[in-house]
Amino acid sequence: MNAMEVEVKLRLPGPEAHQQLEQLLATGRKATHRQENYFFDGSKRELNSQRVVLRVRFYDHDKKAVLTLKGQQVLVDGIGRASEVEEPVDPAVGREALKNPSSLLQLPGDILQNLAK
């Protein structure tokens, strides 16, 4: 059996609703992590035109970083599904990619090989 990540996205009417939801979910919370997300694309929006996303996410400043490639989402019966490949990266390498995106091309792993296809 393959594991599947499920994301729930809610559009709340305002800060009060956010606070109410946070209180309801607080009992099941195990940890809170600060995330920074940065997205990459070519100068001609090659990834966006294919509905593909390339992202580097930092957790708790530079405690951990993950490079993610998300494929085109398919919507069936109101539920969106998309392929997603994640690989850990050294946070220093991720930060370097923010200054010099082409440095991502030097990373080992399947993500950038998948992009070339």
Side-chain angles (χ1 to χ4, degrees):
M1 180 172 95
N2 291 334
M4 179 185 295
E5 177 183 276
V6 176
E7 294 180 4
V8 176
K9 297 183 181 182
L10 305 172
R11 188 174 308 266
L12 302 173
E16 299 84 17
H18 181 271
Q19 289 174 344
Q20 288 176 325
L21 181 60
E22 186 175 28
Q23 289 172 355
L24 285 170
L25 298 176
T27 58
R29 182 182 316 162
K30 295 181 181 177
T32 299
H33 299 281
R34 182 175 180 268
Q35 293 181 1
E36 296 174 63
N37 297 290
Y38 298 93
F39 299 87
F40 299 89
D41 202 344
S43 61
K44 296 179 183 173
R45 299 174 49 102
E46 295 87 349
L47 298 178
N48 187 323
S49 69
Q50 298 296 313
R51 302 265 190 232
V52 173
V53 174
L54 180 63
R55 172 189 72 210
V56 65
R57 173 178 283 166
F58 298 92
Y59 292 87
D60 300 321
H61 188 59
D62 285 346
K63 185 174 182 180
K64 171 181 158 182
V66 177
L67 184 65
T68 303
L69 178 65
K70 290 187 175 194
Q72 184 174 6
Q73 183 174 344
V74 176
L75 192 64
V76 177
D77 297 327
I79 298 173
R81 290 187 170 84
S83 63
E84 186 171 314
V85 179
E86 292 187 331
E87 293 176 354
V89 295
D90 182 302
V93 171
R95 294 284 176 197
E96 176 61 29
L98 299 180
K99 294 184 266 181
N100 179 16
S102 64
S103 68
L104 290 172
L105 299 172
Q106 307 305 314
L107 292 177
D110 296 333
I111 289 182
L112 293 170
Q113 290 175 6
N114 286 336
L115 273 178
K117 293 178 183 178

